Amino acid sequence: MVIRQRKSKLDDAAIMRLIDTELVPLSHMGENDINKIRKEIPLRMSRGMTFVISPSPDKEALAFIHLLMHGELLYIDMMAVSAKEQRKRYGETLLHKAETFATSRGCKISKVMVDEGNMKGLQFYQKQGYRIIRYIMISRCFELEKNI
């Protein structure tokens, strides 16, 4: 397995499939909101950094993490691992890569939002040292934070 930066032509279709199969089903949002967000994904991906795990440098992504950095803040925007590839520590590997990358650029705090329906995600981040800061009623998600 290889960890590398996203290659748009190679990875974007696989990333959209991961979003559709692994993230969308956990969301509380209605179809209209999800379709609106889906249209914004290319713009979101053009900002920040995306790392992927793939079987080899020329194969498409099996897992990805997208992050944004603002000053001392790392924001984990999205992360998903293919259902067939879960429980292989790919999420942990990608999160560690994102945190290491961000700290090398001056980030000190990492934040992530987890949908209320994503209990596996919530447990995953807590196991990685994140703590719940608050529950945001309007977006129905938990905000988690970790010093990095």
Side-chain angles (χ1 to χ4, degrees), residues 28-39:
H28 66 278
M29 288 187 252
E31 196 170 336
N32 287 342
D33 289 332
I34 287 171
N35 287 333
K36 182 180 171 198
I37 288 172
R38 193 178 273 121
K39 286 181 184 131

Side-chain angles (χ1 to χ4, degrees), residues 25 43 60 62-63 78 82-83 93 103 107-108 117 125 134 144 147:
L43 179 62
E60 68 179 21
L62 301 172
M78 296 180 282
S82 167
T93 300
T103 54
C107 292
K108 295 184 178 355
Y125 284 107
R134 62 186 172 139
L144 290 89
N147 292 327

Side-chain angles (χ1 to χ4, degrees), residues 29-83:
M29 288 187 252
E31 196 170 336
N32 287 342
D33 289 332
I34 287 171
N35 287 333
K36 182 180 171 198
I37 288 172
R38 193 178 273 121
K39 286 181 184 131
E40 295 169 356
I41 296 287
L43 179 62
R44 276 170 78 175
M45 297 299 280
S46 72
R47 298 181 182 138
M49 174 68 70
T50 305
F51 292 108
V52 303
I53 290 183
S54 65
S56 66
D58 59 340
K59 299 279 189 214
E60 68 179 21
L62 301 172
F64 81 98
I65 189 167
H66 181 69
L67 54 120
L68 302 164
M69 294 175 291
H70 300 285
E72 294 185 345
L73 176 65
L74 162 64
Y75 179 70
I76 306 297
D77 183 37
M78 296 180 282
M79 181 168 67
V81 177
S82 167

Side-chain angles (χ1 to χ4, degrees), residues 22-30 34 37 115-118 140:
E22 305 303 325
L23 299 179
V24 168
L26 301 172
S27 175
H28 66 278
M29 288 187 252
I34 287 171
I37 288 172
D115 286 316
E116 69 181 5
N118 186 356
R140 296 172 60 184

